[in-house]
Amino acid sequence: MLFSQMFIPTTKETPKDAVLKSHQFLIRAGYIHQIGSGIYNFLPLGKKVVEKISKVVRDEMNRSGAQEILMGFVTPAELWKSSGRYEKYGGELLRFKDRKENEFVLGPTHEESVTEIAKSYIKSYKQLPLNLYQIHTKFRDELRPRFGLMRGREFIMKDSYSFHASKEDLDREFSKMENVYRNIFRTLDLDFRVVQADSGAIGGSGSKEFMVLADSGEDTIVVCSKCDYASNIEAAKRSKLVYEAIPPKAEFSKFHTPKINTIKKLVEFFKVDEFFTLKAVVKKAIFDSHTQKLDELVYFFLRGVDELETTKALNALNKNGANILELVDASTEELIECGLKPGFIGPYALKNITNANHVIFDIDLENAEDLICGANEEDYHFVGVDLSLFEGLVYEDIAKVKEGDKCPLCEGILEYKKGIEVGHIFKLGQRYSKPLNASFLDKDGKSAFFEMGCYGIGITRLLPAILEQKSDDKGCVWTSSSVPFDLSIIVSNTKDNHQLEYAHKIYEELKKSGLDILFDDRDIRFGSKMADFELIGSAYAIIVGKNFENGIVELVSRKDLKKQDLDCEKLTDEIIQRFQNTKRK
Ligand code: ATP
Ligand code: MG
């Protein structure tokens, strides 16, 4: 491509709201153009990278035996009502009507549509398994669209859905997809981790996320320093806490603790380790509007050293029979209204005072003794508390894993890393097939619901993810399978006909070898052309400059900006060989 002919609107201006370098570079280098909040146009360079990434994904998906389809972006609301998600999906789902008052949604994901396809055509176990995928637009009315393509409202996803006659066969496909995804992110040359993820109300171990490691990542992942254990913090586990501090042995009694209304003050007052204090966390549960239940307060107790992990807490409640959509903070007024004394909340008589339906203790507190807790009375705490003396306490894993906690598999030390979620694989089981009544005849001629899996990759999120991991402060650095151009050719002095002719010659020769080349033929300052090369991030640049008279041109690698002199005569062969080697790698 000739730069002079291409539409690459580069600019020096950094958009005001762009905090991440990936967002700044994608706009400044003319890859994307914002048209609304969380909605972007892809300009030629952006489209090129989307195609390159899609090709990596498509090749690997096709190789795995999955088949590509394309489903309607606009989906009848009826389907979403049948699955129950029309209500449950909340504000992210864009609902609208056509001129005949028919209701629709803009697909944020396509489980309902694809289940309808399977239901229409698959009648027998002999037609299974089946894995269908698409690379298509999604819309989610995100509360806070941000970081450019990272969290858009409209974005492109590769989503696939598999159908199986048995759980075992779903397990097999799930493992296969994990490998397919590993291959995809390896081909994209990314440093990534596969982590255990929250599988929400469905439960089980059937959800894994693929995280690109980057300091700017929104997700915290917990990794073991000794073994392979890695988990999203929302699902992370740990082994039982061990503390060397001396326990505050005491007879059970009530203690006057004036104005001691935080764990910090409590620790100072009693001169104990916070491990032995009992922390109360009160949340307000928001129920599914279908259940007609009013919001109510729910109660959690943890060791003073720990924090509540809201996702784990929500799962624990739902596992114990609740049907709660979301947990939000309870206000001080709401606590007082319930008869509680903020800062002095404890488990004694809690149910009597508040009529609580849900009180959950963190698993690490199981039968713990020598604790200090609030007495549900202003300015009083209990000491010498022994939880084993309580009857019927509910213990669940609800604490947020901390750095320094021990690995649940090998007792190694756990640490945090920051990641960007670029892929997610999930065992759905019969979550959709049952409500949508999608069944087939099994081996024994009996009707059975499909076992399903779903597998997503954020195609357009991968652009910023790659840049967050690879870029420097000058501009975009891509990986070899995502880069828009393998090579830029830059002539330092376009008034010099010899330089220009030579550049044209190698451009034509190298193009024939299949390389994607951007020939910067613009009659502008050399410095500006170099700045654009660094900003756009072609993998290499050949600079035809002052040493050309001596038969030498320069090759610059964008990755490390290292320069190397090459002989003009041998240049094309050398370049072709170099690219063959990198492709083979
Ligand atoms: P997140 O936790 O980041 O909101 P999610 O769990 O909602 O993601 P999934 O529903 O699993 O995401 O979607 C599959 C993939 O689609 C994600 O792994 C991510 O790469 C991508 N994705 C999700 N939401 C967005 C978005 N708003 N903008 C761009 N890509 C997205
Ligand atoms: Mg989301």
Side-chain angles (χ1 to χ4, degrees):
M1 307 267 184
L2 299 180
F3 204 133
S4 60
Q5 310 291 307
M6 254 196 100
F7 179 51
I8 310 178
T10 59
T11 160
K12 288 202 175 66
E13 268 153 54
T14 303
K16 274 193 257 21
D17 64 330
V19 283
L20 291 190
K21 62 178 180 181
S22 59
H23 188 187
Q24 295 170 0
F25 293 153
L26 285 171
I27 301 260
R28 281 188 45 215
Y31 282 83
I32 56 170
H33 165 244
Q34 184 166 13
I35 193 80
S37 163
I39 307 177
Y40 291 86
N41 293 321
F42 288 82
L43 305 183
L45 283 188
K47 176 75 166 73
K48 220 160 180 288
V49 178
V50 168
E51 288 308 316
K52 289 224 166 171
I53 293 172
S54 301
K55 181 177 178 339
V56 172
V57 174
R58 191 172 269 128
D59 285 354
E60 210 58 53
M61 289 302 293
N62 289 346
R63 199 170 304 140
S64 80
Q67 297 172 61
E68 187 165 3
I69 57 172
L70 201 54
M71 290 183 270
F73 180 30
V74 172
T75 313
E78 212 44 52
L79 274 178
W80 278 70
K81 288 183 180 168
S82 308
S83 73
R85 284 213 295 179
Y86 191 74
E87 298 290 335
K88 277 204 173 147
Y89 210 90
E92 275 186 29
L93 186 65
L94 189 66
R95 305 155 172 92
F96 61 97
K97 287 182 183 165
D98 68 7
R99 65 172 86 195
K100 293 180 184 146
E101 295 289 302
N102 295 315
E103 293 176 301
F104 292 90
V105 306
L106 274 189
T109 165
H110 279 75
E111 283 81 358
E112 285 81 359
S113 300
V114 78
T115 306
E116 197 59 21
I117 295 178
K119 178 179 170 179
S120 306
Y121 298 107
I122 299 179
K123 303 294 172 202
S124 153
Y125 73 96
K126 289 181 192 152
Q127 294 165 276
L128 295 171
L130 181 67
N131 191 332
L132 300 174
Y133 79 96
Q134 63 172 349
I135 295 180
H136 201 15
T137 305
K138 298 274 176 277
F139 190 91
R140 294 182 184 179
D141 199 355
E142 297 272 356
L143 197 57
R144 281 193 302 278
R146 58 191 179 279
F147 309 140
L149 298 180
M150 196 77 90
R151 187 169 296 285
R153 293 200 296 161
E154 187 183 279
F155 58 98
I156 302 173
M157 198 199 286
K158 187 288 295 178
D159 46 329
S160 41
Y161 308 88
S162 66
F163 297 86
H164 309 273
S166 68
K167 282 196 170 58
E168 294 69 40
D169 197 51
L170 168 60
D171 290 347
R172 178 202 50 74
E173 186 76 7
F174 185 82
S175 308
K176 181 176 176 183
M177 280 296 135
E178 180 177 335
N179 280 329
V180 168
Y181 274 37
R182 283 179 189 273
N183 287 342
I184 288 171
F185 298 119
R186 242 181 252 135
T187 307
L188 286 171
D189 220 353
L190 285 162
D191 186 9
F192 67 97
R193 295 283 182 284
V194 186
V195 307
Q196 297 292 339
D198 168 48
S199 31
I202 296 167
S205 61
S207 173
K208 288 189 179 178
E209 286 167 346
F210 294 75
M211 296 283 184
V212 167
L213 299 184
D215 293 340
S216 58
E218 283 190 283
D219 284 275
T220 301
I221 58 183
V222 175
V223 296
C224 176
S225 52
K226 246 167 82 187
C227 76
D228 281 347
Y229 180 76
S231 173
N232 189 314
I233 191 139
E234 294 179 346
K237 296 192 176 353
R238 62 182 183 186
S239 66
K240 208 164 168 58
L241 298 179
V242 191
Y243 262 72
E244 270 130 40
I246 303 155
K249 290 270 174 218
E251 284 287 303
F252 176 71
S253 55
K254 195 155 79 177
F255 222 92
H256 188 48
T257 50
K259 297 204 168 57
I260 305 300
N261 54 4
T262 63
I263 294 287
K264 192 162 171 266
K265 289 183 194 165
L266 198 62
V267 163
E268 280 165 15
F269 184 85
F270 282 106
K271 305 217 167 9
V272 294
D273 194 292
E274 55 185 0
F275 179 73
F276 296 103
T277 63
L278 194 63
K279 180 190 277 179
V281 181
V282 186
K283 293 275 176 187
K284 188 159 77 175
I286 311 289
F287 287 90
D288 181 347
S289 58
H290 274 324
T291 61
Q292 314 270 310
K293 270 181 93 166
L294 293 178
D295 303 339
E296 69 172 55
L297 297 188
V298 288
Y299 304 84
F300 303 98
F301 288 100
L302 304 125
R303 289 197 182 270
V305 283
D306 283 325
E307 299 292 333
L308 184 74
E309 170 50 57
T310 321
T311 305
K312 284 162 93 175
L314 183 67
N315 290 342
L317 286 168
N318 287 338
K319 190 175 135 198
N320 284 283
N323 193 4
I324 294 164
L325 273 191
E326 199 188 347
L327 292 177
V328 296
D329 288 340
S331 67
T332 310
E333 292 72 38
E334 283 166 325
L335 298 184
I336 295 168
E337 239 169 66
C338 257
L340 292 169
K341 310 288 175 213
F344 301 92
I345 301 172
Y348 287 93
L350 183 71
K351 288 197 174 176
N352 291 344
I353 299 169
T354 63
N355 287 324
N357 288 318
H358 299 283
V359 182
I360 296 184
F361 287 75
D362 181 49
I363 193 83
D364 207 77
L365 284 165
E366 200 157 11
N367 298 329
E369 37 182 29
D370 307 319
L371 297 172
I372 301 176
C373 70
N376 288 330
E377 206 178 306
E378 191 82 30
D379 292 344
Y380 283 95
H381 278 85
F382 286 122
V383 299
V385 174
D386 181 351
L387 290 182
S388 69
L389 302 178
F390 282 72
E391 263 175 38
L393 295 190
V394 177
Y395 291 102
E396 294 285 350
D397 178 13
I398 53 171
K400 179 176 274 162
V401 171
K402 307 183 295 301
E403 283 194 288
D405 285 350
K406 298 272 176 61
C407 173
L409 302 182
C410 78
E411 299 281 318
I413 304 291
L414 295 173
E415 45 192 58
Y416 285 177
K417 282 192 189 296
K418 286 288 178 191
I420 300 168
E421 184 198 319
V422 290
H424 192 176
I425 60 176
F426 207 99
K427 287 182 199 170
L428 295 169
Q430 300 180 340
R431 162 69 186 86
Y432 293 90
S433 54
K434 222 176 192 167
L436 294 175
N437 202 14
S439 58
F440 63 98
L441 290 181
D442 69 11
K443 276 204 297 293
D444 308 318
K446 283 209 203 84
S447 174
F449 295 116
F450 297 112
E451 291 291 336
M452 288 173 60
C454 72
Y455 320 90
I457 290 182
I459 299 283
T460 46
R461 183 178 282 183
L462 271 163
L463 280 82
I466 294 169
L467 294 180
E468 285 304 317
Q469 188 172 87
K470 309 290 180 192
S471 288
D472 55 21
D473 56 359
K474 291 186 160 36
C476 300
V477 177
W478 298 99
T479 62
S480 57
S481 48
S482 58
V483 72
F485 292 105
D486 300 315
L487 194 67
S488 279
I489 298 176
I490 298 171
V491 175
S492 77
N493 178 8
T494 37
K495 305 239 165 15
D496 181 331
N497 275 339
H498 292 299
Q499 288 190 10
L500 210 53
E501 258 167 47
Y502 173 77
H504 266 291
K505 189 176 106 220
I506 56 170
Y507 171 58
E508 292 302 331
E509 280 174 16
L510 288 169
K511 232 175 22 177
K512 280 189 210 125
S513 69
L515 291 183
D516 233 329
I517 305 175
L518 182 64
F519 177 16
D520 197 343
D521 57 339
R522 295 173 301 167
D523 185 14
I524 58 169
R525 272 185 35 243
F526 172 64
S528 304
K529 290 197 261 197
M530 279 308 284
D532 275 353
F533 157 65
E534 288 167 353
L535 182 59
I536 291 166
S538 299
Y540 289 91
I542 291 173
I543 297 161
V544 184
K546 46 184 184 313
N547 242 341
F548 175 67
E549 283 172 21
N550 308 320
I552 304 281
V553 292
E554 225 173 64
L555 182 71
V556 186
S557 151
R558 177 62 191 91
K559 199 168 156 188
D560 48 19
L561 294 175
K562 278 205 180 117
K563 292 177 183 164
Q564 188 190 349
D565 284 344
L566 292 180
D567 188 332
C568 285
E569 299 295 318
K570 299 187 196 133
L571 180 101
T572 42
D573 288 344
E574 274 231 37
I575 297 283
I576 291 168
Q577 205 157 30
R578 185 179 291 256
F579 275 97
Q580 270 168 354
N581 286 344
T582 44
K583 293 236 159 90
R584 228 178 280 136
K585 255 202 273 168

